[in-house]
Amino acid sequence: MKIVIGQPKLESELNQLELTLTAYPEADVVIFPEGYINANLEQARKLARMHHTAIISGYKNPKDWSVVIDASGDLLLNRAKYEAGGAAEVNGQRIAHLLCDELVLQGLKEQAEPVDMIAHPIGVGMFSEEQFEEWITVAKNIAKQHHALIIGTSHADGSYRDSAVSIPIAYCIDPDGREVFIRKNDTRTVLLDTETMQYIVSEAVYR
């Protein structure tokens, strides 16, 4: 499965998502940060259908919700943040969803069935080096616990509450808890092939 991991800037529309889908026609899945879709859920479903690519992200309704949209534009997973949720099957892979600080607050809450992958859309960047290291450590432990690939990505901009620091983050940890890539202050787009665990990094098409 080919997965695009994007770090867009916050925006009110879905221009960066559309540009990414157009630039990566070979992608099976695009992962974008928490809240990126915002109030544009129906438009995101339309884009998934138009480009025949699954989308994993989050939106506000008015609180944060997790969402997995398949390549036909159907909602496979749609749950409020901090609620227990299942997994969605995309291209034969069972994918669970952790939304931002669910990673450290609850992990895969009540997730008893095995999963192949865990998507981790993050809202804004980390507010300290210590938080960056903490979240990566927790992600490695969750990957090993569930023996599942875990992929996280944040927006390229923004900050948490009144913090003056925002460290954009994107990462991929394999099912044994080993680093595939860890990206800090590097907001380029990654195309990952989960069959070979090889990836290509390129300048984001929306910069």
Side-chain angles (χ1 to χ4, degrees):
M1 185 162 63
K2 291 182 172 59
I3 302 175
V4 173
I5 300 103
Q7 295 183 76
K9 293 182 178 179
L10 292 164
E11 65 173 340
S12 59
E13 298 181 352
L14 301 183
N15 296 325
Q16 295 161 96
L17 177 59
E18 186 170 7
L19 286 168
T20 300
L21 289 165
T22 301
Y24 293 93
E26 70 273 38
D28 300 297
V29 179
V30 169
I31 301 179
F32 261 33
E34 175 194 43
Y36 171 80
I37 291 174
N38 204 2
N40 303 302
L41 181 58
E42 291 308 310
Q43 177 64 14
R45 295 179 64 184
K46 180 180 177 182
L47 288 172
R49 187 164 54 249
M50 285 174 56
H51 293 273
H52 202 65
T53 304
I55 297 168
I56 300 175
S57 185
Y59 70 99
K60 291 187 179 294
N61 186 32
K63 295 182 179 180
D64 287 306
W65 283 62
S66 304
V67 66
V68 177
I69 306 168
D70 72 9
S72 298
D74 296 326
L75 292 177
L76 300 184
L77 182 66
N78 187 32
R79 68 163 177 85
K81 191 173 183 178
Y82 307 126
E83 288 185 359
E89 186 165 319
V90 179
N91 287 25
Q93 299 289 297
R94 283 183 56 78
I95 301 177
H97 198 300
L98 288 173
L99 202 60
C100 202
D101 61 355
E102 288 182 338
L103 177 85
V104 293
L105 295 182
Q106 65 188 40
L108 287 184
K109 186 178 181 181
E110 299 178 19
Q111 179 60 52
E113 296 182 16
V115 295
D116 301 297
M117 189 182 105
I118 303 161
H120 180 213
I122 305 165
V124 296
M126 304 289 94
F127 60 82
S128 69
E129 295 285 345
E130 291 77 16
Q131 185 197 14
F132 191 103
E133 294 304 322
E134 176 194 10
W135 283 39
I136 291 298
T137 299
V138 172
K140 288 178 178 179
N141 290 335
I142 289 176
K144 286 188 289 186
Q145 177 187 354
H146 294 275
H147 197 65
L149 186 71
I150 180 167
I151 299 171
T153 187
S154 77
H155 285 97
D157 57 355
S159 60
Y160 180 73
R161 295 181 180 173
D162 58 351
S163 173
V165 178
S166 177
I167 306 171
I169 178 174
Y171 70 86
C172 178
I173 308 295
D174 78 9
D176 295 317
R178 296 176 302 210
E179 298 178 8
V180 178
F181 63 80
I182 306 292
R183 312 194 70 76
K184 179 193 296 184
N185 279 321
D186 183 347
T187 58
R188 292 176 295 172
T189 300
V190 177
L191 174 64
L192 171 71
D193 187 331
T194 62
E195 296 297 321
T196 64
M197 298 309 294
Q198 300 297 308
Y199 62 93
I200 299 169
V201 180
S202 60
E203 291 299 329
V205 294
Y206 36 81
R207 294 286 183 268

